[in-house]
Every structure is written in C-alpha cells, then in structure tokens.
Amino acid sequence: MFPSMPQDDPWDADASRDVARLTPGRPKAGMYGAVPDDTDQRPSSEPEPDEEEFDEIEVVPVRRKLSVAIGGFAGLLALALIVGTQTTGPDGRTPYAVVLFGVQLLGLLAWTMALNPPAPATTAAISGAAGLAACYLAATADHAGLKPLLYVAVAGFAAALIGQVVRPEDRHRVGDSWRTTLLIVLGVVAYALPIVLTRQSLGAQAILVCCTGAGLALLIARLTDAVFPKPRIAAQVPRGAAGIVLGAMVGTFATAWLGSQMVLPFTPAKGAVAGLVAAVAAILVDLAVNFGEAGRRLAGEAPTLWLARHMTGPLGGFALSFAAAYLLVHFYLG
C-alpha cells in the first residue's frame, strides 16, 4: 500500500478575503461574480445623450369679468348702431354721421395701437381725415353708392404711405406693413357704410339683421367664455370653441326669426343667411385679434394698451359686418 498523500488545508473564508484584497481588479466571488457591482463601475468616458427638453406651454387663463365686459360692449355697440339706423331719415343723417365718426375715432385708436403701423401718428391723422370725408360724402352725396367711399379709401391709403416714407426710420417698414395700413384705412371708411345703406331701399333692414347677428354672436361667445371656456382654441388664446359655436348659432336663429317678421324680399332663410354671414365675419375678426395678441406675447413684444386691446375685436368685427351687409343687399337680397 502506498502511503497516503498529505492533504492541503481546506480553503477557508479568511484565505478568500486575503486573495481578494491582493487582486482588487478581479470580480467578487458569488453567483453573479462575472458582473461587476454598481460600486465597482468606473464612469464612462463617453457622454450620455442628452434628453430632449420640451418647454412647457403656458396656458393663458380666461378672465371672466373681462369676457363679460367685452361682450357687453359688443352688445351695446350693436344696439346703438341699430337704433341709429332705424331712426335716421332724409333730414336726420347728420346726427347719425357724427355718432359714426365718433365710433370711427374709437376704432382708429384701437387699431393703430394694436397693429402698430409705421409713423403711427401720421397714419392715424390721415385715416381719421379719410373717415371724416367718408361720413360727409355718404350723408351728402346726391347718389348713395360705394364708389365715393372707395375713392376716399384709395386716397387715404396713398396719403398714409407717403406719410410713412418721409422719415428714414419708418421707411424700411413700409414694404412689410402696407397691408396693416390698408386694413386701418378700410376699417375706418367701412363705418360710413351704414349711412349709405340707410339711403337704399333694403339697407336699413339689412343693417338691422347683420348688426343683430354680429352683436348676438359676439355677446353670447364672450358670455359663454366667462362660464365655460372649453374646449380651448389654443393654450395661449383665452377663448373656448363652445362659445364661438353657440354665438354663431344664436345669432343665426335670431336673424331667421327677424326675417320671418319682415316684408319681402326677407324670409326666414334669407334672414338666417345674412345673420350667419355677419356673425361669422364678426367672430373671425375677434378671434384674429386674440391670436394676434398671443403672437405678440410669444414674440416678447410689449402688449397693446389694455383698453385698445379689448375693443379691437368687436370694432373690427362690426366693420367687416357692414361690408358684408352691403354685399348682401346688392348681390343676394336685391
């Protein structure tokens, strides 16, 4: 029998710890010893890809009292225009022209501040003179028509452009802002259209229908925004789609009823169409003003004076409604 070979001492835990301390680079023993622990991981030299950062969209709150105030202003303006139109006669055009000229000046102040054309003082003065001339011609011309107002608008627009190119600091903006100047001049001159329409057979009735549709649409839309401004048109625009749709529907329904109460050629269908056109025109202008103010805010520009900012929409909406009423009288109702 061969003598038994000497046996080594068993490998105990103390020996394992000694070996581990002598070889720190080796992974620790264990079931997952091949995978280093988080504490043993060395920082990677390659930078981790940056996560995309998204700017949070600011949701502009709806100011309920302000919405009620704007809606009330639109309703009162519609009522004043309707009463003035219905009480104007052949010998009483001058008081109505004076009232409309005052509204022109109010709109001119609001639009000049909101649109900020080159040489604003010169543009406002020339546009005001064009508005005064338009009211005078509409009330005193032998033939009540659109042609004298178009001549005044073209002359006022040309004079405003000439006034804007005088100063070098304003001259470079004329090429980009001529549309703004044209809108201001046309908006001011449009407020002389009710005088022209009162001198035509269907004009007073058309103003009644269109001002009712536009006024109710703006009033109901703003009042609905004060109660239920949802769903939002945009996060930066404090308007709700429910108010816009409801305003157009109420304005159309009211003018359809007016059409049923009037004499021919008005009918419920024609009254509804005229009211819908005026309501949509007024609401679109009002919304365009809201989006314009949101764009100024996002661009970091100074906001418009608060009074002008809140009157611009209704005043512009009625100006476009007058143009729609004139077209309806001559191409749809006549």
Side-chain angles (χ1 to χ4, degrees):
M1 298 291 298
F2 293 97
S4 60
M5 300 294 295
Q7 299 292 328
D8 295 334
D9 295 335
W11 195 275
D12 55 6
D14 294 335
S16 299
R17 284 193 294 270
D18 293 340
V19 172
R21 281 194 292 269
L22 293 176
T23 57
R26 294 180 57 189
K28 296 179 182 180
M31 184 178 297
Y32 302 100
V35 181
D37 292 341
D38 294 340
T39 56
D40 293 337
Q41 291 181 354
R42 298 180 181 179
S44 175
S45 59
E46 298 180 0
E48 296 181 358
D50 296 334
E51 296 182 358
E52 295 183 0
E53 297 181 358
F54 296 95
D55 295 333
E56 184 178 356
I57 299 176
E58 179 186 3
V59 179
V60 178
V62 177
R63 301 168 60 183
R64 303 181 186 275
K65 293 182 179 179
L66 179 61
S67 296
V68 173
I70 297 174
F73 170 72
L76 290 176
L77 182 58
L79 182 61
L81 292 170
I82 291 172
V83 171
T85 302
Q86 301 304 312
T87 57
T88 298
D91 298 329
R93 299 192 191 105
T94 302
Y96 191 38
V98 172
V99 172
L100 287 175
F101 179 65
V103 180
Q104 282 178 331
L105 294 181
L106 193 62
L108 179 60
L109 172 67
W111 298 328
T112 303
M113 289 185 176
L115 299 177
N116 191 25
T122 303
T123 303
I126 295 174
S127 300
L132 180 60
C135 287
Y136 176 78
L137 292 176
T140 61
D142 295 333
H143 176 69
L146 187 62
K147 195 173 294 185
L149 301 187
L150 291 178
Y151 291 153
V152 170
V154 172
F157 175 60
L161 290 182
I162 293 173
Q164 292 174 357
V165 300
V166 173
R167 299 174 60 185
E169 55 267 26
D170 297 323
R171 192 178 305 147
H172 70 281
R173 296 179 52 200
V174 174
D176 297 330
S177 62
W178 65 269
R179 299 176 186 85
T180 297
T181 305
L182 181 61
L183 285 177
I184 293 174
V185 175
L186 289 178
V188 171
V189 173
Y191 270 90
L193 284 173
I195 305 175
V196 175
L197 289 173
T198 56
R199 300 178 61 184
Q200 299 177 354
S201 58
L202 298 175
Q205 292 175 310
I207 289 294
L208 171 62
V209 172
C210 290
C211 283
T212 300
L216 279 177
L218 293 175
L219 175 62
I220 298 300
R222 290 290 186 169
L223 292 181
T224 306
D225 286 341
V227 178
F228 186 75
K230 297 178 181 180
R232 291 290 293 268
I233 297 295
Q236 300 86 359
V237 179
R239 300 297 304 275
I244 293 170
V245 174
L246 185 60
M249 291 175 60
V250 172
T252 304
F253 176 79
T255 53
W257 178 82
L258 279 177
S260 67
Q261 304 299 313
M262 294 180 178
V263 298
L264 293 175
F266 275 94
T267 61
K270 289 187 176 181
V273 171
L276 178 62
V277 171
V280 170
I283 286 178
L284 287 180
V285 173
D286 195 24
L287 272 180
V289 171
N290 294 137
F291 275 96
E293 287 298 326
R296 290 169 64 96
R297 192 184 306 112
L298 292 176
E301 299 179 7
T304 312
L305 181 67
W306 68 272
L307 184 60
R309 180 168 67 248
H310 303 316
M311 291 191 306
T312 301
L315 289 169
F318 280 106
L320 186 58
S321 298
F322 295 148
Y326 189 90
L327 294 176
L328 287 169
V329 167
H330 289 274
F331 296 102
Y332 178 67
L333 299 173

